[in-house]
Structure formats: C-alpha cells, structure tokens
C-alpha cells in the first residue's frame, strides 16, 4: 500500500443496503459489493478502506436516508461529502441505471471534481429544523382540515353570512349548527374534531418551539430578521432553520441562487435569453421569502406590530432593516410603474430581500443580542 495514495469511494445508499465502489488514485474503478447499513458494517467498511490507502474520500447522494452515514464516516476519519443528486453529470442517451453503475459514476465524478456538495447541518441544527418542520406540517394540516370542512358545508348549501375567518364568532356558529340527518351530522362532527386536534397540535409545537429557540445558536439571527418588514416569528424561524449558517454563503448572490429565485438562462453565441426563476434549492424557504416580499407593496413604515420586535436590538440592525424597507418599497413601485406583472415584481423584490437577509443575518451573529422570550405572533 502506498502511504500517500488516495482512495476515492462512491456509495449508493438505500434503506437496507449500500453499494460500494472505489478507485485508488488514477487507477481503475472497482466494485467492492454491497454491505448492510448497520453501524457494525459501516465500521468494517472503514477499516477495509484504510487498508487500501492513507487518504480516503467518500461521497454519496443526498436523499431520504439523511446524514447519519456522513457523520459516522467522519467519526471514523473518512473525508466524506454529500452531493446534490440533480447536479451529478449524466451522459446523454444513458438509459441503464443500476446501483453498481451509480456507485461507479460517483467515484469517477468525485475524482474529477465534478460533484456539487450540499450543506450538512450540525446535530443540534438538524434537530431544531425537525421541530420547525413538524410545526410547519401541523399548520399545513390545520389549513387542509379547515378547507375540508368548508368544502363539506358548501356541498350541502350551508354558508356563513359573515367572513369565515375562524374567529370566535365563526367558531361559535359552527358549534351551534346541526344537520337533520344523523349520518351527515356525524361526518360534520368528525370534521370539526379533526380541526380541534390540529389546533391543539399546533399550540403544543409552538410552545415547544418558542422555548427551544432561545437556546438555539442561531437565535440572534431569528431576532434580527424579525426587525424586517414581512418577517414575523413564523417566517424567521422557518427561514433560519432551513438556511442554517449564513456564513457558508460568501456572497448574497449565492444565497439567491440557493433559494432558486435567480433567472434561468439559455444563451448561445451573441444571443442571451433569460427565463423565469430556476426554482432550485429549498422550496419551503423560497415560499416564505416570497410571502414576506408581498408586504413591500405598501409604503415604508414601522407599524405598531413591528415596534416591540425592535426592543433590545442593536441600532445597526434596525437601521439596516429600515434601509431594506426603503429600497424594496421603492423597487416595487418602480416595477409597477413600468407595467410589470405584480407576481414578477414581487419575486424581484424577494430576490433583493434575500440579500438583506444575508447581510442582517451575518451582522446579527457578529453582535451580542440579548436572549429573551420569543414575542407572540
């Protein structure tokens, strides 16, 4: 064994098996076979690879199996990365796909430096993101349960005279309404019960999230982002939990590209063609960003709802948030005056809003922000 040799390893990971291929320096790619996904099998694989070279570089595709394999290999001293599946080079016309071929392709792409790695959060950040995603899923389930009840009532000609906003009056009306048919009434009660269960779940998760966020390492960023217009606790927690460490983006354009809000392009020769946004990256974070950008259609101002969120925040962050509001409100008016479609204008505002989020987030981590209880929605 050459002590200076590098072993390139490609891992095609599935729920119960991992197909392993490797190459030593510039040699031929060999298939090591399949192993189980148990910790013992992974430890044996690490020992076997170390017998073939001093430096071991391994990679596998990001997928439903998460980052446990990555963390275990790193703990074994293996230089492991997780690559983006959509950015792996593919030959035109290639129609055969097997685990063996995928592992070999990963080895060759890793050795050539053609793979794009994804960001792997720390264990703490991933745990907080799981809690934030559970809360987002519960709120989406609540929205769907409410929509099912509205559809049920509409199909039977039942209409609420006032605004059906799920406020006290609306809920009181629902509690008193009844159908003549016992079977239909039973279905109605089950729809209402489903909504009550989802409301209770959302409240439990919200309490847990507000307690956990105070101890989170990126809590200063959550506080700082709430000084911006259109970004309340829901948006701030969702954005930061998905983005993670903003310092990994060296320039705001990288964050914009990661969020998928940069224009697509197909240019050739002297012709340059730009299309709609790429919609690459994290769809949930992009959704939150665009929703926040809609608030910049109105004139710049600091509302009574925003004022409590400014308390205890350094002046440098508040001033930066005000600069963002002035610039983005002006940008929307300018685009609207030019006759741009409202959706196009809002996405353009969202793109620049991402740049301000990058700037304020990095500034918040460099300043000492107070630890305080999260403000109510």
């Amino acid at each position: 064994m050459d002590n200076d040799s590098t072993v390139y390893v490609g891992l095609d990971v599935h729920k119960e098996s991992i197909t392993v291929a490797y190459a030593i320096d510039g040699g031929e790619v060999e298939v090591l076979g399949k192993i189980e996904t148990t910790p013992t099998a992974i430890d044996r694989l690490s020992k076997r690879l170390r017998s073939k070279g001093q430096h071991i570089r391994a990679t596998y595709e990001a997928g439903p199996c998460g980052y446990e394999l990555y963390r275990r290999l790193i703990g074994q001293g293996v230089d492991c990365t997780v690559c983006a599946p959509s950015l792996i080079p593919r030959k035109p016309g290639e129609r055969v796909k097997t685990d063996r071929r995928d592992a070999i392709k990963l080895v060759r792409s890793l050795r050539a430096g053609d793979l794009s790695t994804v960001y792997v959060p720390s264990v703490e950040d991933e745990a907080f993101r799981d809690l934030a995603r559970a809360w987002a899923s519960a709120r989406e389930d609540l929205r769907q349960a409410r929509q099912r009840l509205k559809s049920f009532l509409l199909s039977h000609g039942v209409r609420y005279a006032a605004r059906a906003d799920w406020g006290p009056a609306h809920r009181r009306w629902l509690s008193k309404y009844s159908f003549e048919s016992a079977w239909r009434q039973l279905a109605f009660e089950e729809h209402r019960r489903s909504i009550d269960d989802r409301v209770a779940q959302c409240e439990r998760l919200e309490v847990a999230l507000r307690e956990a966020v105070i101890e989170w390492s990126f809590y200063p960023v959550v506080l700082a982002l709430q000084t911006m217009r259109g970004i309340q606790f829901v948006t701030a927690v969702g954005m930061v939990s998905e983005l993670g460490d903003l310092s990994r983006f060296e320039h705001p354009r990288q964050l914009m590209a990661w969020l998928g809000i940069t224009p697509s392009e197909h240019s050739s020769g002297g012709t340059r063609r730009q299309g709609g946004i790429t919609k690459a990256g994290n769809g949930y974070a992009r959704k939150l960003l665009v929703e926040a950008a809609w608030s910049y259609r109105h004139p710049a101002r600091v509302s009574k709802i925003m004022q409590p969120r400014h308390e205890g925040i350094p002046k440098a962050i508040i001033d930066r948030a005000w600069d963002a509001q002035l610039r983005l409100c002006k940008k929307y008016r300018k685009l609207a005056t030019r006759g741009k479609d409202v959706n196009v204008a809002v996405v353009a505002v969202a793109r620049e809003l991402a740049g301000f989020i990058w700037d304020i987030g990095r500034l918040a981590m460099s300043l000492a922000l107070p630890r305080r209880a999260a403000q109510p929605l």
Side-chain angles (χ1 to χ4, degrees):
M1 178 188 73
D2 185 358
N3 290 333
D4 294 330
S5 61
T6 300
V7 182
Y8 298 93
V9 184
L11 305 170
D12 189 65
V13 181
H14 295 276
K15 179 182 177 181
E16 296 180 353
S17 66
I18 302 174
T19 303
V20 184
Y22 74 95
I24 301 176
D25 292 330
E28 291 293 327
V29 180
E30 300 182 27
V31 178
L32 204 58
K34 284 190 176 183
I35 66 169
E36 296 179 347
T37 56
T38 61
T40 303
I42 295 171
D43 292 345
R44 283 201 299 264
L45 173 65
S46 300
K47 293 179 181 178
R48 190 173 178 182
L49 292 173
R50 276 198 293 270
S51 67
K52 299 180 181 299
Q54 182 178 5
H55 308 290
I56 304 173
R57 295 186 59 195
T59 189
Y60 67 95
E61 299 179 28
C65 295
Y67 305 118
E68 292 303 317
L69 175 60
Y70 165 85
R71 296 189 177 109
R72 189 153 196 93
L73 291 175
I74 289 293
Q76 295 289 333
V78 177
D79 180 14
C80 183
T81 58
V82 183
C83 62
S86 60
L87 300 178
I88 296 176
R90 305 184 188 280
K91 293 180 180 179
E94 190 175 53
R95 295 293 183 269
V96 179
K97 181 185 183 303
T98 64
D99 295 347
R100 179 189 179 95
R101 284 173 175 253
D102 288 345
I104 293 173
K105 184 189 297 183
L106 286 174
V107 173
R108 291 172 176 165
S109 299
L110 176 64
R111 186 166 56 184
D114 292 337
L115 297 178
S116 298
T117 60
V118 301
Y119 169 70
V120 179
S122 66
V123 175
E124 178 193 32
D125 293 343
E126 188 177 20
F128 185 86
R129 187 181 67 182
D130 291 340
L131 182 59
R133 286 180 175 179
W135 185 38
S137 298
R139 289 188 287 112
E140 177 62 20
D141 291 342
L142 173 60
R143 186 194 66 79
Q144 293 179 359
R146 286 173 170 173
Q147 184 60 43
R148 284 193 296 268
L149 178 56
K150 282 186 175 181
S151 300
F152 175 80
L153 294 175
L154 181 62
S155 65
H156 296 294
V158 180
R159 293 174 176 82
Y160 181 57
R163 183 181 178 184
D165 57 358
W166 303 100
H170 185 207
R171 294 197 304 269
R172 190 162 49 249
W173 175 79
L174 287 172
S175 65
K176 294 180 180 179
Y177 193 86
S178 62
F179 291 92
E180 293 182 1
S181 171
W183 296 343
R184 189 170 294 168
Q185 180 64 24
L186 178 59
F188 176 59
E189 293 296 336
E190 287 298 325
H191 280 301
R192 285 182 48 206
R193 186 172 182 177
S194 176
I195 292 175
D196 293 339
D197 291 343
R198 298 287 77 76
V199 169
Q201 183 185 24
C202 288
E203 291 175 351
R204 290 194 305 270
L205 287 169
E206 181 181 338
V207 170
L209 195 61
R210 289 182 180 276
E211 292 176 353
V213 71
I214 300 175
E215 304 300 327
W216 191 32
S217 58
F218 294 125
Y219 181 55
V221 182
V222 175
L223 284 179
L225 293 187
Q226 291 182 77
T227 63
M228 305 181 70
R229 185 171 187 167
I231 301 182
Q232 296 185 357
F233 181 74
V234 174
T235 306
V237 167
M239 287 284 294
V240 179
S241 63
E242 297 294 336
L243 294 177
D245 188 5
L246 287 172
S247 63
R248 64 192 177 99
F249 301 105
E250 297 181 358
H251 195 276
R253 291 194 187 94
Q254 295 179 355
L255 175 57
M256 297 172 191
W258 186 86
L259 289 167
I261 53 174
T262 53
S264 59
E265 184 172 345
H266 183 79
S267 300
S268 180
T271 305
R272 186 187 183 204
R273 298 185 181 92
Q274 285 189 316
I277 59 175
T278 61
K279 293 186 180 180
N282 193 294
Y284 178 58
R286 181 171 59 253
K287 172 190 171 184
L288 293 175
L289 181 70
V290 174
E291 287 178 350
W294 279 94
S295 64
Y296 293 92
R297 295 174 298 156
H298 309 290
R301 70 186 184 95
V302 179
S303 64
K304 292 182 179 179
I305 298 177
M306 292 177 59
Q307 288 175 0
R309 304 203 297 262
H310 287 187
E311 296 177 1
I313 304 299
K315 188 174 183 298
I317 293 178
I318 296 175
D319 291 344
R320 194 66 179 134
W322 178 245
D323 291 341
Q325 189 171 173
L326 291 176
R327 178 183 175 89
L328 297 179
C329 290
K330 180 180 178 181
K331 183 178 184 65
Y332 178 83
R333 290 196 304 270
K334 181 179 178 180
L335 292 174
T337 303
R338 290 169 52 189
K340 290 290 185 180
D341 180 80
V342 61
N343 294 303
V344 174
V346 168
V347 170
V349 170
R351 185 160 48 248
E352 289 200 16
L353 177 60
F356 283 104
I357 288 175
W358 176 85
D359 189 23
I360 291 178
R362 290 165 63 99
L363 182 60
M365 292 303 294
S366 64
L367 300 176
L369 270 69
R371 297 272 171 176
R372 69 186 187 197
Q375 296 290 334
L377 295 177

